[in-house]
Amino acid sequence: MARGFTLEVCVDSVESAIIAAENGATRLELCGNLVIGGTTPSLELYRKVRRCTGVDVNVLIRPRFGDFHYTEHEMNIMCREIESFAAEGAHGVVIGALNTDGTLALPQMKEMIQAADSCHVTLHRAFDVCRNPLEILEQAAELGIDTILTSGQEASCMEGKELLAKLIQEAPKGVDILIGAGVNAEVMEQLLHDMPARHFHMSGKKVLDSEMTWRNPRVNMGLPGISEFEIYRTDGEQIRRARAILEKV
């Protein structure tokens, strides 16, 4: 894109999408259930986000929490979902599939890319748990993938910055290295100082207290340790600060 950088904000609600778009996101990654790393959003959520924002929307395709080794049924579901989002005009899809030995599941990747038709394709953080990232970098380029979302195979991008620098240096023409995990304005400023990074992915979320006044503390609906009375929402100030850092580049 002409601006020379990407600020992708990961969102799982219309409210967060609007906040991100209004405060400087150049692209959205739309998912469901961000608190567990994200799953495929509903088609209606995508439609509503498109109507309410004016930025490109990439859609995460992930059928469940957990690893990235998928069954035949899961693959079938993902490919049909990709076709649906492509037909709705999604800018891109965010996908990934691995074999049990940590290599890229090439037949499955090809099947999903074919389903994506003309959509842009991002390889998500399945890349961060693969066996050989430099090998998969080359395979991704051969498959026509244009973006790889990665933290440098570490829990945060600052911990993985050595590999990130190498990936940016080695990335074939047409493949963007999209830096994620722990990204904020301060981290971006440091990484921009250390390497020619231009593409960043962040959630910029804050935790809001539920508006519920009646609460039953004895019941937990989901994963232990996750409160039923906390709402995760994009923080516009964090997005504005990140955008301001990139505008200086």
Side-chain angles (χ1 to χ4, degrees):
M1 60 182 67
R3 67 177 65 87
F5 62 79
T6 304
L7 179 58
E8 180 178 270
V9 179
C10 186
V11 300
D12 63 358
S13 69
V14 179
E15 292 79 6
S16 285
I18 292 170
I19 292 167
E22 289 180 345
N23 287 280
T26 65
R27 187 170 70 213
L28 303 176
E29 183 196 86
L30 182 64
C31 66
N33 304 305
L34 185 53
V35 72
I36 56 170
T39 56
T40 307
S42 72
L43 197 58
E44 193 53 41
L45 175 59
Y46 167 78
R47 289 169 176 155
K48 186 71 170 177
V49 167
R50 277 289 303 271
R51 288 195 296 267
C52 292
T53 66
V55 298
D56 291 334
V57 181
N58 285 0
V59 181
L60 176 65
I61 306 297
R62 186 184 181 210
R64 54 166 170 77
F65 172 80
D67 66 30
F68 303 106
H69 180 65
Y70 296 114
T71 68
E72 182 179 348
H73 293 304
E74 289 171 331
M75 273 301 303
N76 183 264
I77 290 168
M78 288 193 292
C79 286
R80 302 295 79 75
E81 287 174 330
I82 290 168
E83 289 173 348
S84 296
F85 286 114
E88 288 284 335
H91 176 265
V93 292
V94 184
I95 62 174
L98 298 177
N99 296 313
T100 56
D101 63 358
T103 57
L104 196 62
L106 291 173
Q108 293 182 331
M109 291 297 297
K110 290 176 181 177
E111 187 178 357
M112 289 190 284
I113 290 168
Q114 183 176 9
D117 194 22
S118 60
C119 289
H120 291 263
V121 177
T122 295
L123 172 58
H124 58 45
R125 292 187 66 206
F127 181 86
D128 281 329
V129 293
C130 75
R131 178 184 292 272
N132 188 331
L134 294 179
E135 178 184 60
I136 288 186
L137 176 64
E138 293 296 328
Q139 291 175 331
E142 292 168 3
L143 288 169
I145 290 168
D146 54 73
T147 302
I148 296 176
L149 171 59
T150 174
S151 62
Q153 293 210 312
E154 299 292 345
S156 74
C157 60
M158 287 301 288
E159 294 172 282
K161 67 179 184 177
E162 183 176 337
L163 178 57
L164 288 171
K166 187 173 182 62
L167 291 169
I168 291 170
Q169 180 182 1
E170 305 255 342
K173 185 177 180 180
V175 179
D176 292 335
I177 301 301
L178 180 64
I179 298 174
V183 170
N184 57 35
E186 291 74 24
V187 165
M188 289 166 59
E189 197 162 33
Q190 180 64 54
L191 291 175
L192 288 164
H193 178 270
D194 293 342
M195 65 188 76
R198 292 294 180 269
H199 309 287
F200 293 91
H201 168 102
M202 65 185 295
S203 62
K205 59 183 177 293
K206 61 182 177 181
V207 180
L208 304 179
D209 190 45
S210 168
E211 295 181 0
M212 291 292 297
T213 56
W214 167 251
R215 304 183 181 190
N216 181 352
R218 300 184 302 278
V219 177
N220 185 282
M221 299 291 181
L223 295 173
I226 298 178
S227 172
E228 308 296 339
F229 302 104
E230 293 180 348
I231 308 297
Y232 290 83
R233 187 72 42 82
T234 299
D235 182 355
E237 176 59 24
Q238 290 192 51
I239 308 306
R240 283 196 302 275
R241 291 175 59 213
R243 177 63 185 256
I245 294 295
L246 287 172
E247 292 285 1
K248 296 177 184 177
V249 177

